[in-house]
Amino acid sequence: MKADPNDLRRAADAHDVVGPDNNMHIEIAAKRASYIVAAWGALNLGAMSGPARERTRDVARLLRDRPLVCLGTTNDGNPRHPLMVAYATAPAEWIAP
């Protein structure tokens, strides 16, 4: 995960949002997890447009048969980013919109 939003924007603009083995690594980790926390936040922000926005949908589809939880949802139904919720927020089931 990138700490600088400008790095995210540049990667999204360059369509460089998925590494060659990324899906394989996600699937391997998902098989070992008791549950998966979805937490990418609102998709209407500049850094989450275009290819990056589509990638969130692709990952949600990739994990559709796994137990997904989130820490609340945004107005458009996406999982809230952890920085946008109270510390004591408990995970709840999340179903992709």
Side-chain angles (χ1 to χ4, degrees), residues 44-82:
N44 60 350
L45 303 175
M48 291 302 290
S49 62
R53 180 182 302 202
E54 190 57 37
R55 182 62 181 155
T56 63
R57 293 179 186 128
D58 292 344
V59 171
R61 283 191 291 272
L62 183 68
L63 299 173
R64 70 181 170 271
D65 295 329
R66 302 293 305 153
L68 296 174
V69 299
C70 70
L71 301 172
T73 57
T74 62
N75 290 337
D76 59 0
N78 284 290
R80 286 202 179 280
H81 189 282

